[in-house]
């Protein structure tokens, strides 16, 4: 097995690392406090090609592999998970879904501007009564012949107000259950489409999270993705790739907290020596480093499998499950190592701890990931 990155992958990782340090880190605490979307930074991410990393060049994408995507997500998430989640959603949910399953007309109209960051995308599956249970869609799309009439509410939508293009799952044939669900491309500005207030969240506070409301929104027939009834399968297939991005985000949050804790432990002195020389702190750092490396390998394996065209659902869920738990454990320990300073915003680790929690919740909770993993292992 080869564990060496290519020269191109290392270069992309270094570009992302420099961007995170020079563009994301300044002002990250203020953006968190003010719940301010990193609009300027996201625009620059688009200019770098990071919002359409894995999209083919013919659709304005960078044509990069999933391994490079993991590397970029880790570096950005070390500093600002509110910015990295925009990269994650735009790449592995919206762009991926359109490129894999959209028509050529849909790709020309919607994918191309998304891939370069001219537009931002949102993936709309969760509802007040249908979070983890994606089969119970209450949002309805009535087939009216030339168009669908969309009614309902979506919750917890990342990029809720900043997006221009929304991929919306809705039920068209209730009698068919999950086989009656469709996926639609909805544009901001369509009559009857409104965005609710921004959610006041524990973490990733710069991320633009809103509820969306649809009241007799006319969606053209050509905006349906795939055949009639394809929506549930579309959502599940797209979320598989999304889990790699969230796993990499969790990895980055953990890695960022570990680096801060390691540097602090080398500088902070007690009883006449750096606390890094105390065995209790050394054991914490050893566990953190080991768990982060294990999470990194799981993320890279899932990405590699995807790049090879091999099944990766189990690997993605394992990576998401483990990396999110490592993120939570590592950030808590980073705060502990910092002591009282860890509770102060200027040291960054308290924010990373708050950001870590969401990685255990979105793209399917830890319990959902265990169900996916169990389903895969029981196939044998």
């Amino acid at each position: 097995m080869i564990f060496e990155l290519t020269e191109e992958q290392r270069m992309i990782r270094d570009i992302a690392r420099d961007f995170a340090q020079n563009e994301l880190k300044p002002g990250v605490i203020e953006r968190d406090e003010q719940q301010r979307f990193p609009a300027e930074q996201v625009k620059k991410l688009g200019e770098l090609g990071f919002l359409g990393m894995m999209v083919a060049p013919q659709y304005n994408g960078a044509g990069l592999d999933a391994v490079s995507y993991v590397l970029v997500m880790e570096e950005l998430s070390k500093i600002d998970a509110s910015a990295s989640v925009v990269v994650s959603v735009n790449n592995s949910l919206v762009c991926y879904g359109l490129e894999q399953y959209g028509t050529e007309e849909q790709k020309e109209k919607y994918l191309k501007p998304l891939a370069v960051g001219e537009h931002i995308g949102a993936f709309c599956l969760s509802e007040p009564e249908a979070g983890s249970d994606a089969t119970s869609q209450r949002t309805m799309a009535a087939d009216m012949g030339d168009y669908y009439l969309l009614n309902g509410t979506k919750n917890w939508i990342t990029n809720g107000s900043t997006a221009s293009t929304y991929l919306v799952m809705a039920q068209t044939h209730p009698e068919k259950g999950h086989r009656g669900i469709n996926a639609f491309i909805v544009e901001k500005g369509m009559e009857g489409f409104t965005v609710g207030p921004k959610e006041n969240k524990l973490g990733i506070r710069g991320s633009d999270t809103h509820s969306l409301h649809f009241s007799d929104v006319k969606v053209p027939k050509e905006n349906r993705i795939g055949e009639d009834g394809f929506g549930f399968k579309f959502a599940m297939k797209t979320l598989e790739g999304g889990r790699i991005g969230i796993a990499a985000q969790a990895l980055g949050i953990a890695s960022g907290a570990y680096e801060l804790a390691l540097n602090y432990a080398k500088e902070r002195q007690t009883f006449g020596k750096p606390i890094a020389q105390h065995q209790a702190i050394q054991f914490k750092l050893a566990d953190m480093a080991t768990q982060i490396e294990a999470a990194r390998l799981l993320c890279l394996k899932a990405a590699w499998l995807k790049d090879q065209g091999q099944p990766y659902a189990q690997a993605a869920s394992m990576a998401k499950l483990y990396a999110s738990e490592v993120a939570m454990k590592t950030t808590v320990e980073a705060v502990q190592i910092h002591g009282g300073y860890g509770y102060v915003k200027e040291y960054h680790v308290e924010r990373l701890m708050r950001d870590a929690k969401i990685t255990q919740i979105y793209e399917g909770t830890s319990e959902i990931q265990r169900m996916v993993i169990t389903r895969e292992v029981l196939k044998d």
Side-chain angles (χ1 to χ4, degrees), residues 76-372:
L76 299 179
S77 302
K78 286 180 183 180
I79 304 300
D80 188 357
S82 293
S84 71
V85 75
V86 181
V87 176
S88 176
V89 169
N90 212 67
N91 270 287
S92 55
L93 295 181
V94 181
C95 286
Y96 174 81
L98 285 172
E99 185 170 18
Q100 288 295 310
Y101 303 108
T103 64
E104 283 303 312
E105 292 77 12
Q106 290 169 349
K107 293 174 187 179
E108 284 290 325
K109 184 176 181 179
Y110 297 107
L111 180 57
K112 281 188 171 182
L114 284 164
V116 293
E118 291 177 4
H119 291 174
I120 300 296
F123 188 83
C124 310
L125 177 64
S126 294
E127 297 182 1
E129 302 298 326
S132 297
D133 182 11
T135 63
S136 301
Q137 295 292 299
R138 300 286 182 89
T139 299
M140 300 299 295
D143 190 341
M144 308 300 288
D146 293 336
Y147 62 91
Y148 288 87
L149 205 58
L150 189 64
N151 285 280
T153 298
K154 294 294 181 179
N155 269 18
W156 318 116
I157 304 304
T158 301
N159 304 334
S161 71
T162 51
S164 300
T165 304
Y166 300 78
L167 305 189
V168 182
M169 313 313 134
Q171 180 64 263
T172 302
H173 309 286
E175 71 281 1
K176 295 182 179 180
H178 71 276
R179 292 184 176 85
I181 296 172
N182 278 309
F184 302 96
I185 304 169
V186 177
E187 299 176 24
K188 178 177 281 186
M190 284 183 169
E191 187 176 354
F193 174 27
T194 57
V195 178
K198 185 172 184 176
E199 302 290 352
N200 187 0
K201 307 188 298 295
L202 171 72
I204 58 168
R205 288 168 59 81
S207 173
D208 196 21
T209 308
H210 294 256
S211 59
L212 307 178
H213 307 286
F214 308 95
S215 179
D216 287 342
V217 179
K218 290 184 177 181
V219 181
K221 211 60 172 282
E222 60 266 26
N223 280 32
R224 188 187 70 200
I225 301 174
E227 297 297 321
D228 189 20
F230 180 67
F232 180 76
K233 185 175 181 180
F234 169 81
M236 294 302 101
K237 287 292 185 181
T238 303
L239 285 172
E240 286 180 6
R243 287 172 186 139
I244 296 176
I246 296 309
Q249 183 187 44
L251 168 64
I253 292 170
S255 186
Y258 167 72
E259 290 177 6
L260 290 168
L262 179 62
N263 291 333
Y264 180 82
K266 291 177 179 178
E267 297 168 359
R268 171 68 168 163
Q269 293 205 2
T270 60
F271 305 103
K273 60 182 179 181
I275 63 171
Q277 294 184 21
H278 295 295
Q279 193 173 71
I281 300 298
Q282 291 176 347
F283 284 0
K284 287 181 184 294
L285 293 171
D287 287 345
M288 293 160 76
T290 302
Q291 291 164 5
I292 289 169
E293 186 63 16
R296 183 176 290 116
L297 291 172
L298 283 171
C299 290
L300 290 172
K301 179 183 178 182
W304 181 84
L305 287 171
K306 185 179 181 184
D307 287 336
Q308 301 304 309
Q310 298 185 30
Y312 62 91
Q314 177 179 314
S317 285
M318 285 180 170
K320 198 272 184 183
L321 171 65
Y322 188 72
S324 63
E325 293 185 349
V326 168
M328 203 68 245
K329 291 177 184 176
T330 300
T331 54
V332 169
E333 289 287 37
V335 170
Q336 193 71 24
I337 288 172
H338 278 76
Y341 292 106
Y343 218 63
V344 178
K345 290 183 180 296
E346 67 180 281
Y347 284 80
H348 295 282
V349 287
E350 64 83 29
R351 173 174 50 80
L352 291 170
M353 182 176 70
R354 289 187 285 107
D355 289 347
K357 187 58 189 176
I358 192 60
T359 67
Q360 293 181 306
I361 298 172
Y362 57 17
E363 303 297 346
T365 63
S366 296
E367 291 74 20
I368 295 295
Q369 303 315 311
R370 289 183 169 92
M371 290 172 60
V372 173

Side-chain angles (χ1 to χ4, degrees), residues 59-70:
Y59 301 118
N60 293 343
L64 298 172
D65 58 6
V67 168
S68 296
Y69 171 57
V70 165

